[in-house]
Amino acid sequence: MVEHVLAQEPDREIVVTLHPGETYSDEERDALDDMVAKYARLSLQVGGMEALLPKCAYVVAMNSSVAFAGYFLKKPCVLFAGIDFHHIAANVERLGIDGAFKAVRGMKPPYPQYLWLFLQQMSINAGRPEAEDKIRARLARLGWPVT
């Protein structure tokens, strides 16, 4: 994935962020360190999403919640894997690598509307008074014996 980003964005600084709660193998870290040594415009850090998101052009992820957080800042996303919030992303599986990167550069999805749809309509908001009824109804639709 990182090599594809480097190829698609030959003039941009690229920051690879590792999830602070994830464990990476020595082989994975060595491969990333080798890439950082090879490409002067590539850097690697653990965490730091909050500082990077406001400054980035867009997010590239497998299926990270960083992409969803980027939607709150109106940051488009290229997704290399499936995730629940794929609807407004440039999806590599659907568009191919070249198509996804071409699409993301001009994307201006309706972020506020999508976030409302995803968080209030497609999900159950546990903070709302109707949450228990929605959970009960969903479980019943799935065949769970709920009273």
Side-chain angles (χ1 to χ4, degrees), residues 1 4 13 34 36 66 84 96 99-100 106-107 121-122 124-125 133 141 147:
M1 180 177 77
H4 288 301
E13 297 291 320
D34 289 347
V36 169
V66 172
D84 291 346
M107 290 179 80
Q121 239 181 320
M122 295 172 62
I124 297 173
N125 182 336
D133 291 338
R141 280 193 308 275
T147 57

Side-chain angles (χ1 to χ4, degrees), residues 22 25 32-33 38 46 52 60 64 84 91-92 123 128:
E22 187 74 30
S25 70
L32 286 169
D33 290 341
K38 182 177 177 181
V46 176
L52 293 170
V60 178
S64 173
D84 291 346
N91 193 305
V92 169
S123 304
R128 296 186 61 93

Side-chain angles (χ1 to χ4, degrees), residues 39-101:
Y39 298 98
R41 62 194 180 86
L42 179 66
S43 62
L44 176 67
Q45 69 182 56
V46 176
M49 164 190 82
E50 300 83 5
L52 293 170
L53 274 179
K55 299 184 283 185
C56 74
Y58 57 90
V59 175
V60 178
M62 292 296 286
N63 56 6
S64 173
S65 64
V66 172
F68 191 75
Y71 292 167
F72 286 92
L73 299 172
K74 297 183 178 179
K75 300 296 180 173
C77 176
V78 172
L79 286 176
F80 272 78
I83 192 81
D84 291 346
F85 48 83
H86 62 89
H87 309 89
I88 61 171
N91 193 305
V92 169
E93 185 176 271
R94 191 176 71 248
L95 301 171
I97 292 168
D98 291 340
F101 279 89

